[in-house]
Amino acid sequence: MSFLNEMLPETAEAFGKMRNSIFKDAFLDLKTKELIAVASSVLMRCQFCVDTHSQRAVVAGATKEELAEAISVAMFVAAGSQIGWTNVYEENVYNKIFEKDKDEKEEDCCCCCED
């Protein structure tokens, strides 16, 4: 954040205010919010964020088991997302690929693989 503090102090201040408005006890307690942040950080692949929010979660009362479970939820969402993308064509992509013979696939190609 030092770069933002130096170059865009108003933006850095706004980000800090947003953080402060979110990371406090409200409808969800602080520990729960930090565990959500850990899971989100795993999905965003931000190691700094995982470290920071894990430490904050522990300070807020999270156990190692709760951290592990939050990470396992992120792992599940990541795994499930890899299954779901196969239906982007309103049918299973594997059915779409394997139902056609090679000649038909080449005719339907939308990229630059034409001769």
Side-chain angles (χ1 to χ4, degrees):
M1 284 288 295
S2 62
F3 175 76
L4 276 182
N5 286 332
E6 184 180 317
M7 301 301 295
L8 300 168
E10 289 179 28
T11 302
E13 182 181 352
F15 183 79
K17 285 181 179 180
M18 181 175 67
R19 179 188 60 233
N20 293 339
S21 74
I22 294 168
F23 285 94
K24 62 183 179 181
D25 286 338
F27 296 108
L28 297 174
D29 62 24
L30 181 59
K31 179 178 86 169
T32 301
K33 290 178 180 184
E34 289 295 354
L35 289 170
I36 292 169
V38 169
S40 300
S41 298
V42 167
L43 292 174
M44 296 301 296
R45 298 180 181 172
C46 176
Q47 187 62 52
F48 174 81
C49 300
V50 171
D51 295 344
T52 299
H53 290 290
S54 293
Q55 292 169 13
R56 290 178 180 173
V58 169
V59 169
T63 64
K64 287 181 183 180
E65 293 82 6
E66 289 171 322
L67 281 166
E69 201 163 290
I71 292 168
S72 73
V73 170
M75 181 180 68
F76 173 78
V77 170
S81 71
Q82 297 309 301
I83 296 167
W85 75 267
T86 62
N87 290 316
V88 296
Y89 299 108
E90 296 182 7
E91 65 178 293
N92 185 291
V93 70
Y94 298 111
N95 291 340
K96 188 174 179 82
I97 291 168
F98 292 113
E99 285 178 357
K100 296 181 177 187
D101 64 28
K102 186 177 179 183
D103 293 334
E104 288 177 339
K105 280 193 281 187
E106 287 179 7
E107 291 173 14
D108 291 344
C109 184
C110 63
C111 65
C112 59
C113 60
E114 296 177 359
D115 291 337

